[in-house]
Amino acid sequence: MELIRIPVLSDNYIWLLCDEGKHCVIIDPAESQPVINILAANEIIPVAVLLTHHHHDHVGGVAGLLKKYPDLPIYGPEETRNKGATHIVNEHDVVNVEQFYFNVIGLPGHTLGHVAFYQAPYLFCGDTLFSGGCGRIFEGTAEQMFASIAKISSLPDDTLICCAHEYTAANMAFAKTILPENQVIDDYYHKIIQLRENNQATVPTVLQTERKINIFLNCHDIDLQKNIGIKPNSIPLSSVFQQLRGYKDNF
Ligand SMILES: [Zn+2]
């Protein structure tokens, strides 16, 4: 398998996962033309589009792709039906096209119908988990988002987090304010700044790394709880998460 990352708009990534036979699936096409260009230049045949949720910067390219490839199946949750989805998916479904077998994981929170597509080790998780951070809670509750992130965290260490935005630098800057004494976070922040100064992408990232540097995966951390004014272990972890997400919203 080969993973291709296409940067579009101000900070979105469209992902392509390709097999040895040059078939590929396209995940969250924010735009169509950059995808069509890459497919043509590399003689890749698209076999499916996967949509994680209904936001425009994830589905905006569907119409253009269908114009070019009218028979292309578009897989997405119910909330993407009127955004061009032709095959509605639900949690526990398996999307099988050519050699691809994706497990559908329900991740409500950012939107209510948000899903991820997982074919080990690749996880296409849209706007749920980012490197060093997580998505905003627009439609669901903090409890739902916390449970969704816990679901991702339960996947194997080598899972590749293929998220839809380049937000890592801002996420790590926030993390530093929450855990200023944490050397691992500080080191990662500087590594990310260096990458971005050289105009390099910071994702995909490995779940094992995220467990160390992503504060939203560490709501159980006593220092984290103390630093945001919570008496250690006095409230549910989902409430710690909610408070942390609230601070990030205003950062
Ligand atoms: Zn979104």
Side-chain angles (χ1 to χ4, degrees):
M1 292 281 168
E2 186 193 359
L3 184 67
I4 299 174
R5 180 187 52 232
I6 310 175
V8 294
L9 305 177
S10 57
D11 50 34
N12 276 77
Y13 290 125
I14 301 171
W15 298 99
L16 307 186
L17 189 62
C18 307
D19 69 11
E20 287 71 28
K22 291 227 159 192
H23 296 112
C24 88
V25 294
I26 303 159
I27 299 96
D28 283 355
E31 295 186 304
S32 57
Q33 201 55 51
V35 177
I36 291 168
N37 294 347
I38 296 249
L39 296 177
N42 297 282
E43 295 178 346
I44 301 168
I45 306 149
V47 294
V49 172
L50 310 180
L51 306 175
T52 62
H53 66 294
H54 68 82
H55 287 158
H56 188 70
D57 60 331
H58 297 255
V59 303
V62 170
L65 287 171
L66 281 174
K67 206 166 159 193
K68 174 90 177 166
Y69 307 101
D71 297 328
L72 195 59
I74 316 287
Y75 294 84
E78 180 62 40
E79 66 178 33
T80 59
R81 190 187 287 277
N82 64 0
K83 309 287 180 180
T86 56
H87 294 62
I88 302 303
V89 299
N90 291 290
E91 174 148 52
H92 305 312
D93 284 354
V94 175
V95 174
N96 170 220
V97 190
E98 297 288 338
Q99 292 179 44
F100 301 100
Y101 290 86
F102 289 97
N103 287 297
V104 178
I105 303 174
L107 300 174
H110 179 70
T111 67
L112 280 174
H114 197 302
V115 298
F117 296 91
Y118 175 56
Q119 173 169 316
Y122 307 97
L123 179 76
F124 299 98
C125 58
D127 288 354
T128 298
L129 190 72
F130 295 122
S131 182
C134 71
R136 280 179 186 260
I137 303 167
F138 284 124
E139 296 176 13
T141 63
E143 286 79 8
Q144 283 176 316
M145 190 68 166
F146 181 70
S148 292
I149 282 170
K151 244 186 221 177
I152 294 177
S153 190
S154 72
L155 293 172
D157 282 350
D158 66 348
T159 301
L160 274 179
I161 307 294
C162 306
C163 54
H165 288 277
E166 180 60 67
Y167 286 162
T168 319
N171 287 337
M172 294 312 298
F174 175 65
K176 263 167 65 79
T177 68
I178 299 297
L179 287 174
E181 318 263 276
N182 185 307
Q183 194 58 47
V184 178
I185 284 178
D186 191 61
D187 289 348
Y188 202 73
Y189 168 79
H190 287 288
K191 181 185 160 184
I192 294 300
I193 294 298
Q194 191 71 49
L195 283 171
R196 295 307 294 150
E197 277 173 2
N198 295 324
N199 211 18
Q200 287 186 287
T202 66
V203 293
T205 173
V206 181
L207 184 55
Q208 194 171 28
T209 303
E210 289 303 308
R211 291 208 187 91
K212 294 177 193 144
I213 60 96
N214 192 324
I215 52 175
F216 291 93
L217 294 177
N218 286 285
C219 292
H220 54 273
D221 186 296
I222 299 300
D223 290 331
L224 181 150
Q225 294 185 13
K226 279 188 196 160
N227 290 354
I228 60 172
I230 295 169
K231 186 166 158 262
N233 299 329
S234 62
I235 59 172
L237 290 182
S238 62
S239 303
V240 176
F241 173 80
Q242 181 168 24
Q243 206 158 312
L244 192 58
R245 184 59 253 183
Y247 285 129
K248 177 65 170 62
D249 287 346
N250 297 307
F251 179 66

